[in-house]
Amino acid sequence: MANKKFTIGLLTSGGDSPGMNPCIRAVVRAAASHDAQVIGIMDGYEGLINGEFRPLGPRDVGGIMQRGGTILQTRRSKRFMEKTYQREAIRNMNSAGMDGLIVIGGEGSLKGAHALAEQGIKVVGIPGSIDNDIWGTDMAIGVDTAMNTIMDAIDKLRDTASSHGRAFLVEVMGRGCGYLAVLAGIVSGAEMVITPESPVTVEEVAKAVEDAYLRGKRHAIIIVAEGASLKVVDLARAMDEMDVGFTTRVTILGHIQRGGSPTAFERMLATRMGVKAVEALVSGQTDVMAALQGRTMGLVPLTEVTNKTRSINPEYFEMAHILSR
Ligand code: F6P
């Protein structure tokens, strides 16, 4: 019997993020360079449970580098957290001859990867989430592109805000993490940033906006993370009632932040992570995640990733604040 090739299962899971496609491409082509083969698993863990597999060769991943989304599709699978379905998934992996699995996804998806590793499956994770809330890596796949989308949108909003002398409340994604909001605040020159990590009252927001008006600003941009306790619509209503100098408008950027062609930085990050994950898997490593650590592409244990919380550098909050004068 001819030697069986080392076979890698590959899936994308949870919320999609721009950069997943270049990562898929990197995994498939790096695997080929190790004489390994890749089986694509459709629809994240749901596809693993249902046995929805398709072989992925180097030609199948041509022309996807610049595309947002994921050619493997993705789902949020609640049932994969249950042992019964994990067992089904392992059974399917075994009958398809998979020797290891690469999971590209966010916190929940990496928890699923760790659960499989604990049951003896060789698994390597790749952080993919626009929120940048995954412990152990400086950046996750999707963050840079989402940040650029936000920056572009706010640049446009500022034009109209200035013309009309208005305050804009801009809601950005980030369910439990204000990373996008704070960084967007710095790169877009916002007057104020509101995050789950730094709660403020309606009165504090109103005062900051009125102060900006008194200092002669022609507009005010307030970026609000979706996970913040103050909600943009309530805040806008309250500010209009309080009369803060500017009239208020609300823009919720929503899922537009999750799409679009990945930036150059993103493609490079996704490619490096894909190559690293394949190297790790073929050399026998498991229960680890590819992680950007400064300029180095390293590996961190999934136990730590799934148990620790990533915090935002406090200097960024300070910077966003002092530069808003
Ligand atoms: O986790 C990424 C994220 O985009 C969050 O910022 C957001 O709260 C959530 O996904 C939205 O999820 P869905 O696409 O399932 O509505």
Side-chain angles (χ1 to χ4, degrees):
M1 193 178 90
N3 276 350
K4 177 188 165 295
K5 278 192 174 184
F6 188 89
T7 304
I8 300 172
L10 172 65
L11 62 83
T12 50
S13 165
D16 63 349
S17 58
M20 283 182 164
N21 277 331
C23 191
I24 292 169
R25 173 181 178 271
V27 167
V28 171
R29 294 199 174 164
S33 80
H34 287 278
D35 202 24
Q37 62 186 8
V38 175
I39 296 179
I41 299 152
M42 303 306 293
D43 298 334
Y45 290 117
E46 283 297 304
L48 201 55
I49 298 167
N50 299 331
E52 293 162 37
F53 304 153
R54 65 174 239 216
L56 276 184
R59 292 287 70 74
D60 298 316
V61 292
I64 65 168
M65 175 80 104
Q66 72 285 6
R67 283 168 55 189
T70 158
I71 60 161
L72 290 176
Q73 311 276 335
T74 183
R75 293 286 180 279
R76 297 193 188 277
S77 175
K78 279 216 178 86
R79 60 181 184 150
F80 191 72
M81 288 300 141
E82 292 172 37
K83 192 76 189 280
T84 322
Y85 293 105
Q86 291 172 7
R87 195 167 48 221
E88 241 6 75
I90 292 173
R91 196 173 143 101
N92 288 336
M93 284 185 70
N94 287 338
S95 37
M98 292 180 200
D99 301 294
L101 179 70
I102 293 179
V103 172
I104 311 171
E107 268 189 308
S109 311
L110 296 167
K111 276 201 178 97
H114 180 54
L116 288 176
E118 282 187 319
Q119 291 166 72
I121 298 295
K122 290 206 173 345
V123 189
V124 176
I126 296 181
S129 166
I130 67 164
D131 292 359
N132 217 21
D133 57 350
I134 300 166
W135 185 89
T137 186
D138 293 350
M139 291 288 270
I141 294 175
V143 181
D144 188 62
T145 308
M147 188 66 71
N148 277 280
T149 300
I150 296 169
M151 187 177 73
D152 187 47
I154 295 178
D155 286 350
K156 289 174 177 147
L157 289 174
R158 197 187 305 100
D159 290 344
T160 175
S162 268
S163 308
H164 285 265
R166 283 173 173 159
F168 266 78
L169 294 166
V170 186
E171 184 187 285
V172 299
M173 276 190 167
R175 217 175 351 208
C177 174
Y179 182 91
L180 284 176
V182 177
L183 273 276
I186 296 169
V187 301
S188 306
E191 273 56 49
M192 193 173 194
V193 176
I194 305 174
T195 66
E197 295 88 347
S198 58
V200 285
T201 61
V202 175
E203 290 71 25
E204 283 168 326
V205 182
K207 174 148 190 347
V209 174
E210 192 172 12
D211 283 353
Y213 183 80
L214 292 172
R215 288 203 305 280
K217 292 215 176 195
R218 302 189 59 82
H219 61 254
I221 304 285
I222 297 109
I223 304 181
V224 187
E226 67 171 331
S229 49
L230 283 182
K231 300 298 163 209
V232 277
V233 174
D234 303 334
L235 194 51
R237 196 176 307 118
M239 277 168 53
D240 276 342
E241 276 167 15
M242 288 161 108
D243 184 8
V244 291
F246 298 111
T247 50
T248 312
R249 291 288 185 273
V250 168
T251 300
I252 298 175
L253 293 182
H255 284 78
I256 202 162
Q257 297 160 93
R258 288 244 297 269
S261 181
T263 61
F265 176 90
E266 202 78 82
R267 296 179 196 192
M268 192 63 198
L269 177 74
T271 301
R272 289 177 74 195
M273 285 183 164
V275 169
K276 185 73 182 182
V278 171
E279 278 169 11
L281 211 50
V282 296
S283 66
Q285 306 221 46
T286 182
D287 210 8
V288 289
M289 179 188 83
L292 182 67
Q293 300 161 320
R295 293 169 63 180
T296 308
M297 188 53 63
L299 292 168
V300 289
L302 278 174
T303 342
E304 293 192 35
V305 174
T306 52
N307 281 309
K308 295 189 177 176
T309 309
R310 188 185 199 282
S311 56
I312 302 170
N313 182 345
E315 281 175 20
Y316 292 161
F317 284 102
E318 181 62 13
M319 215 180 271
H321 179 63
I322 59 175
L323 298 179
S324 67
R325 275 153 216 276

